Amino acid sequence: ALMPGMKRFWPRNVARLASTSCSSRYSALTKQLYEINAWRPAKLGLRNVTQLHELLDRPSRRVRIVHVAGTNGKGSVCYKLARALQLGGQRVGLFVSPHISSFRERIQVNAEPIGEEQVVNLLQRLLPMCKDNEIPATFFELTTIMALQHFVEERVDYVVLETGLGGTLDATNVVEHPQVCVITSIGLEHTRVLGDTVEEIAAHKAGIIKPGAQVVVGPKCPHPVIRPIANEQGATYHEVPSLPEDADDVDAENARIVQRVMDLVVQQDKAVKVDQLPLALLERPPCRFEEFVVRVRTPSNIAVKRMAGDPAAQTPSSQDCGPNSVRCILDVGHNPDAITRLVQKVMGVHGPKEVFSVVCGFSRDKNISSCLEQLGEHCRSHVATLHTCDSPTA
């Protein structure tokens, strides 16, 4: 039976939407998609996504998949991998979350976000499918299935698939035969769902490991927990060793994980080229230590000098930051380990004498007190202003 409130979500006359412009339909349908979890709390499990997967004739079986989980680094690893495969001559689907400015960022083919019309077409098929089959799919379950179906329709050669939360019960774990499984790092996060210890969380994330797969595991993982799980599945375990430089540069660690994955891909598929791999390893997703300078010329004229996205861009110099300029660093770190690495990176790049003001926001399911403790250890002033955000997850 349908859950309470479910009928309030399902499309308000999808046929009527068909007569409106594509942009209007996109806005209306994505609005409904965002509203799903307001009526129905997100819940881990594979029942809904498996039903949708079956109804679409198991799209994940028709593409080669690299499945990526981890506490930190999985987004960066996914972007680097997708770029490496694309520069290697492949057509590549990328599924990542969350998005920064547009829902379409979550689903990309060769670095191009899915089009509004394609989103509309997929949702106009999937939403009635859920209603007709009484499948109370969540936002992330629908988005995962949208991505897999889109990649099949776009005839991609490879899909780089990032988990949402955990691994075992994450919607992306509907995939049955990934070519490579990757676990980037393990730290304390989502403890109310995944467990209170690193070992419990590692076991959840290792749930993406499938029989016979190649498994690449980063240095900041409890290998005594993950390796036996891989052995039980008959998977081949590849441990990426820790290096001293990892302490100051997590991007170098992520790059070495990607290099190991690409070694395995090339062993299985000689059509993939690696001559441009060094360029691909420079790829970074938005808001990962993304640095720029804002120059304020007049109250109504603000020029922004972006420092991210261009591998040749340099860190702004002291000359860049004049009396009418402000240096900004954007980062999506949202757990204690990520905050620690962010502070280390800032100190390493700018030194202990440069002063920064910190503005941070967290959703309520994060370990906010531990994150603030990490920041507080490096604050010269403990003056803080707290604001609430008009968001159901804040």
Side-chain angles (χ1 to χ4, degrees):
L2 299 182
M3 297 179 65
M6 189 173 175
K7 291 182 180 177
R8 297 182 66 180
F9 157 71
W10 297 118
R12 309 169 187 94
N13 295 320
V14 169
R16 184 180 66 192
L17 283 174
S19 64
T20 62
S21 70
C22 178
S23 183
S24 297
R25 282 179 286 155
Y26 170 81
S27 296
L29 287 168
T30 51
K31 182 176 184 291
Q32 292 181 38
L33 185 61
Y34 290 135
E35 290 175 350
I36 293 178
N37 290 0
W39 301 116
R40 204 166 49 251
K43 188 168 145 180
L44 289 175
L46 298 179
R47 180 178 177 181
N48 296 335
V49 73
T50 299
Q51 286 180 274
L52 287 171
H53 195 237
E54 293 283 348
L55 288 168
L56 291 171
D57 194 25
R58 299 181 178 181
S60 75
R61 286 191 168 188
R62 287 172 271 164
V63 290
R64 287 173 286 193
I65 292 176
V66 179
H67 199 183
V68 183
T71 300
N72 295 311
K74 61 182 183 290
S76 295
V77 165
C78 284
Y79 270 85
K80 291 179 191 298
L81 269 173
R83 185 64 171 158
L85 289 164
Q86 182 185 349
L87 292 177
Q90 305 302 299
R91 186 165 174 80
V92 186
L94 173 65
F95 178 65
V96 290
S97 62
H99 62 267
I100 301 298
S101 59
S102 169
F103 170 81
R104 296 165 49 228
E105 297 168 29
R106 293 170 177 258
I107 304 170
Q108 304 178 29
V109 174
N110 277 9
E112 287 293 326
I114 185 173
E116 288 188 357
E117 185 174 358
Q118 292 165 310
V119 171
V120 168
N121 290 338
L122 286 164
L123 284 176
Q124 286 183 334
R125 291 164 59 191
L126 288 172
L127 296 179
M129 186 181 292
C130 287
K131 181 179 179 181
D132 294 343
N133 294 277
E134 298 191 349
I135 303 172
T138 65
F139 171 91
F140 192 72
E141 289 166 343
L142 279 165
T143 306
T144 300
I145 289 297
M146 281 178 61
L148 292 172
Q149 183 63 26
H150 178 65
F151 296 147
V152 167
E153 292 175 2
E154 287 293 307
R155 300 181 182 276
V156 302
D157 301 305
Y158 283 88
V159 169
V160 179
L161 194 69
E162 180 189 18
T163 60
L165 192 159
T168 302
L169 300 177
D170 186 75
T172 62
N173 210 28
V174 72
V175 303
E176 299 165 285
H177 304 291
Q179 188 166 350
V180 185
C181 302
V182 184
I183 302 175
T184 58
S185 68
I186 301 293
L188 293 175
E189 64 161 355
H190 302 292
T191 52
R192 285 181 292 181
V193 178
L194 302 179
D196 295 324
T197 68
V198 166
E199 289 74 20
E200 288 177 289
I201 293 170
H204 268 281
K205 294 185 184 295
I208 69 168
I209 298 173
K210 299 298 193 303
Q214 301 290 325
V215 181
V216 176
V217 184
K220 292 181 175 59
C221 294
H223 298 287
V225 174
I226 301 173
R227 191 187 299 273
I229 295 173
N231 292 339
E232 289 174 8
Q233 296 288 352
T236 305
Y237 196 87
H238 304 270
E239 179 180 339
V240 177
S242 179
L243 295 180
E245 54 263 35
D246 293 346
D248 298 320
D249 190 358
V250 69
D251 198 57
E253 177 184 307
N254 293 333
R256 289 191 296 107
I257 292 172
V258 172
Q259 284 179 302
R260 191 70 189 97
V261 174
M262 289 301 294
D263 288 344
L264 296 171
V265 168
V266 170
Q267 288 175 17
Q268 300 176 46
D269 185 356
K270 302 300 183 185
V272 179
K273 309 301 181 185
V274 292
D275 54 308
Q276 296 193 69
L277 182 57
L279 177 61
L281 296 179
L282 297 174
E283 187 79 10
R284 299 180 80 164
C287 292
R288 270 65 163 189
F289 204 83
E290 184 171 353
E291 186 166 355
F292 55 91
V293 169
V294 177
R295 292 196 181 97
V296 183
R297 293 173 182 166
T298 70
S300 60
N301 182 10
I302 298 178
V304 177
K305 179 180 179 182
R306 290 184 65 88
M307 299 308 298
D310 179 3
Q314 300 295 315
T315 299
S317 66
S318 57
Q319 288 81 7
D320 289 321
C321 299
N324 296 320
S325 299
V326 178
R327 184 198 306 279
C328 298
I329 298 172
L330 301 180
D331 195 88
V332 294
H334 57 270
N335 55 60
D337 286 349
I339 296 296
T340 299
R341 300 294 284 271
L342 172 60
V343 170
Q344 291 171 342
K345 179 78 170 178
V346 171
M347 300 286 278
V349 172
H350 296 289
K353 292 185 178 180
E354 186 149 1
V355 177
F356 286 89
S357 296
V358 179
V359 179
C360 55
F362 297 96
S363 55
R364 62 171 175 260
D365 63 335
K366 307 305 180 207
N367 189 346
I368 300 174
S369 60
S370 293
C371 289
L372 294 180
E373 285 174 9
Q374 293 295 327
L375 289 171
E377 290 180 4
H378 301 275
C379 288
R380 299 180 185 180
S381 169
H382 291 278
V383 176
T385 303
L386 301 179
H387 298 276
T388 57
C389 178
D390 185 19
S391 168
T393 62

